[in-house]
Amino acid sequence: MKKIFYFIGIALILLLFMNCSEYQDWSDHGPMKDNIPPGPVSSPSVENIHGGAIITYNLPTDNDIIGVKAVYSFKEGKDEELREAYSSAYSDTILLEGFPDTSERTVKLICIDKSKNESDPVSVIIKPLTPPVDLVFLSIEMSQAFGGILVQWENTEQATVGISLFYEDSVGNMVLNYTYYSNQPEENYTFRGFKDVETKFMIQIQDRWGNLSASKETIITPLFEIPLLANDEAGWVWERYGYDDRSCVWRGDLTDTYHPNYNFYKIFDGSTTTWLHSGKGSVLGNYTEKPEDMEIVVKPFYLTIDLKRLVNFSRHIYYMRNTKEFDLAQLKHYEIWGTNEKPKGYDDFEDKWESLEYWTSWPEVNGTDAWKNDWDQIFDCPLYPPSGHRLLNEITPEDKEWARNGFDFEVIPEYSSKPYRYIRIVCDKIFTGTPQEFMAVGVIVEMEFFGAYYD
């Protein structure tokens, strides 16, 4: 029996080599085999696209063709540098990109064989459509933002472009502030770091071939804002009624943290290597005080904060844990609500169950989230990667770099001029984790708030 399998194996290997010999060796290695040029391409056709062209053709019947090259220039003229683009013999199409305008160009198509012989060229005329940088430029809108300028645009071709902001300095020079790169069909970006004084700004679009759009200027006065924690010596506090008697269980707020070093104040310490770790803080048993409920995770989790002063919010930045972006119980989506009224306490309810019903949406306690009728939702904070990927193994290095720079959220506009003394964080989604771990081990890493003190 073993001999039979042995001979079958040998036969399969021989058959494999026989089949492989039917395919041409398209490699470009070894000495020249002949000096006979291949035939030219035939029946070329052109599809003009934005900033380029797609050229389709028929290959000659030569059996040693390795591909086709296109010879062209970005601009017509004697001194213009010639460029080359290639396509293999397995394709009948060449894509040309990066043209800066809509002028006609001549493209020469040349077949190449294994001996590096070249065919007679076949010329075609292309006429690129409006370059993507100019399309994006036409859609640019600029408006004032807190600490800077908001730029909005459309990118229907989803080309990778850079949005460059320049500002006028004290001696009248236009200085580059930052270039933001994007290939999304619709997007906006806020350039920050400016004082609330009238400033001349300029926007210009560039692509990866060095093409530049025209420039667009505007004069804008950025809205005033400051970091809200920097000058608050009293510090913000975790609103827990009596603090020592665990009375926050009446509100459904987090009750415990995982470790003393992972406490509330780590949210505001400027570090992405420390955080508030909820531990087993969002487990039903912490609120019902029933042993049988200690394995039941409730979501969302809540955290109420006393700001100690009246605040007008402008924006909020969230930072994920360094090196663990989009992983290990990082927040995926949360909301921030605000009020200027002292949150309801013991005296406002008959018992703890009535309080939990008001303060949570947990079905286990017939929660209604009725408190939202008395508060304003001032931030909505989805923490999704720019690539749109949802699985951890699909997260790109660019996604992680984006997260390291922080997720920047503007206050919902209708509440930007309204002051708040208390805020409440409501987190309903995190990255990774089993159903049992889903909210029980959520972490809040680092938050920054900006705006102005009202009082």
Side-chain angles (χ1 to χ4, degrees), residues 9 52 69 71 112 126 186-187 202 215 257 262 277 292 298 308 312 318 333 338 410 427:
K69 74 174 178 179
V71 181
I112 305 172
I126 68 171
E186 291 186 24
E187 198 168 1
M202 183 181 80
S215 58
T257 56
Y262 297 90
H277 197 309
E292 63 268 27
V298 286
K308 306 297 287 184
N312 284 121
Y318 184 83
H333 177 263
E410 297 271 356
C427 178

Side-chain angles (χ1 to χ4, degrees), residues 36-230:
I36 303 173
V41 300
S42 60
S43 304
S45 62
V46 174
E47 177 188 353
N48 294 309
I49 61 175
H50 290 284
I54 301 172
I55 305 175
T56 305
Y57 44 79
N58 293 328
L59 290 166
T61 57
D62 302 65
N63 61 7
D64 60 349
I65 295 292
I66 62 170
V68 174
K69 74 174 178 179
V71 181
Y72 62 99
S73 61
F74 275 170
K75 296 180 181 179
E76 294 290 346
K78 293 182 180 180
D79 299 329
E80 177 66 16
E81 177 185 357
L82 290 179
R83 298 171 181 266
E84 295 180 349
Y86 293 85
S87 181
S88 79
Y90 296 104
S91 174
D92 62 356
T93 301
I94 283 184
L95 170 65
L96 305 181
E97 299 178 284
F99 294 92
D101 54 47
T102 60
S103 300
E104 289 188 348
R105 276 97 169 163
T106 300
V107 178
K108 294 181 179 180
L109 302 175
I110 301 171
C111 284
I112 305 172
D113 66 17
K114 287 176 58 178
S115 302
K116 301 181 182 178
N117 299 310
E118 296 187 355
S119 72
D120 292 332
V122 174
S123 296
V124 296
I125 302 297
I126 68 171
K127 185 176 173 46
L129 305 180
T130 304
V133 290
D134 294 330
L135 292 176
V136 174
F137 175 77
L138 292 173
S139 70
I140 286 288
E141 294 184 4
M142 296 181 280
S143 57
Q144 67 180 169
F146 289 98
I149 177 173
L150 171 65
V151 182
Q152 299 170 286
W153 65 89
E154 295 180 2
N155 183 1
T156 55
E157 299 305 303
Q158 294 186 256
T160 299
V161 296
I163 315 298
S164 297
L165 177 77
F166 299 80
Y167 67 94
E168 186 177 48
D169 66 12
S170 58
V171 295
N173 296 321
M174 296 305 293
V175 180
L176 176 63
N177 170 256
Y178 181 68
T179 299
Y180 174 78
Y181 293 92
S182 169
N183 62 0
Q184 299 302 304
E186 291 186 24
E187 198 168 1
N188 63 74
Y189 184 79
T190 302
F191 298 84
R192 303 194 190 274
F194 297 95
K195 297 180 179 180
D196 56 325
V197 296
E198 188 175 86
T199 305
K200 182 178 180 180
F201 294 101
M202 183 181 80
I203 287 290
Q204 193 168 39
I205 316 301
Q206 61 177 298
D207 64 19
R208 58 193 176 97
W209 294 277
N211 297 319
L212 296 173
S213 70
S215 58
K216 186 173 184 178
E217 297 181 351
T218 186
I219 296 177
I220 282 177
T221 301
L223 299 172
F224 173 79
E225 69 168 7
I226 59 172
L228 291 176
L229 282 178

Side-chain angles (χ1 to χ4, degrees), residues 372-402:
K372 291 183 176 180
N373 297 326
D374 305 320
W375 294 53
D376 300 323
Q377 184 183 344
I378 55 178
F379 289 99
D380 182 53
C381 305
L383 300 175
Y384 295 115
S387 67
H389 295 315
R390 294 294 186 265
L391 300 178
L392 180 61
N393 61 1
E394 296 177 342
I395 299 299
T396 67
E398 291 76 17
D399 290 332
K400 292 189 175 184
E401 181 62 27
W402 173 277

